[in-house]
Amino acid sequence: MGVRAGSGGQVLTLDTLVRLRRGLRTPGTPRPFRLPVPEGMTVPLGCDAVAVPARLGPQVMSRLPRPGCVYADEAHWWWLVPADSDYALEWPAPAQYATGAVVPDAPVVPDLLHRPEGTVPYTPPIPLYLAVCRLTGTTPVWSRPVRA
């Protein structure tokens, strides 16, 4: 599929349009990137990520019975979770949910802080969600009153 530029010019494919868009970034602008899954690990359920501000990272970590891969930079701590771990959950602010484990606007790839034993990099999403809710003073979605 292509788009014809002008009235008789060149055909622009989706690949060309993507390359053109990427070329519009100014030097020094952080680019989004995917958190790397450590070598030897597999992601059979797909992979997303949940981030909290770095000041909350150690507190969240201490509340998790079985953390998966955890990454950190100066601003955030990131936990790998199975894809669609945001289904029917409203992750409380200031947490950020990153589909595909794509980290937006970070200047560098965060460092791997924790790697679990085994071949699966996931942190179970429900304990992570509950820890984040507790630290942010948010009532979990299933405990909120139902509105008519």
Side-chain angles (χ1 to χ4, degrees), residues 117-142:
E117 291 186 23
T119 61
V120 181
Y122 305 128
T123 295
I126 298 301
L128 178 59
Y129 175 76
L130 291 172
V132 173
C133 283
R134 179 136 183 130
L135 288 170
T136 60
T138 304
T139 302
V141 71
W142 55 78

Side-chain angles (χ1 to χ4, degrees), residues 1 7 10 25 27 33 44 54 62 66 73 80 84 90-91 96 103 113 116 121 124 140-141 144:
M1 180 176 143
S7 60
Q10 169 184 8
R25 291 186 184 273
F33 54 85
S62 69
R66 198 180 74 228
D73 59 24
L80 293 184
D84 299 324
E90 296 171 21
W91 287 86
Q96 298 175 29
V103 176
L113 282 183
V141 71
R144 296 180 192 158

Side-chain angles (χ1 to χ4, degrees), residues 14-116:
L14 184 57
D15 289 337
T16 303
L17 294 172
V18 168
R19 275 196 305 276
L20 289 171
R21 175 72 177 131
R22 287 181 181 157
L24 294 176
R25 291 186 184 273
T26 59
T29 301
R31 291 188 169 182
F33 54 85
R34 180 166 282 129
L35 289 171
V37 174
E39 190 173 323
M41 298 192 111
T42 62
V43 287
L45 302 175
C47 199
D48 290 345
V50 176
V52 298
R55 64 182 168 73
L56 296 177
Q59 296 171 60
V60 171
M61 188 74 154
S62 69
R63 287 172 165 77
L64 295 174
R66 198 180 74 228
C69 287
V70 181
Y71 299 83
D73 59 24
E74 290 182 10
H76 296 95
W77 282 35
W78 298 87
W79 281 264
L80 293 184
V81 295
D84 299 324
S85 292
D86 61 338
Y87 180 76
L89 291 179
E90 296 171 21
W91 287 86
Q96 298 175 29
Y97 191 86
T99 303
V102 175
V103 176
D105 304 329
V108 296
V109 176
D111 295 322
L112 180 64
L113 282 183
H114 182 266
R115 177 188 171 144

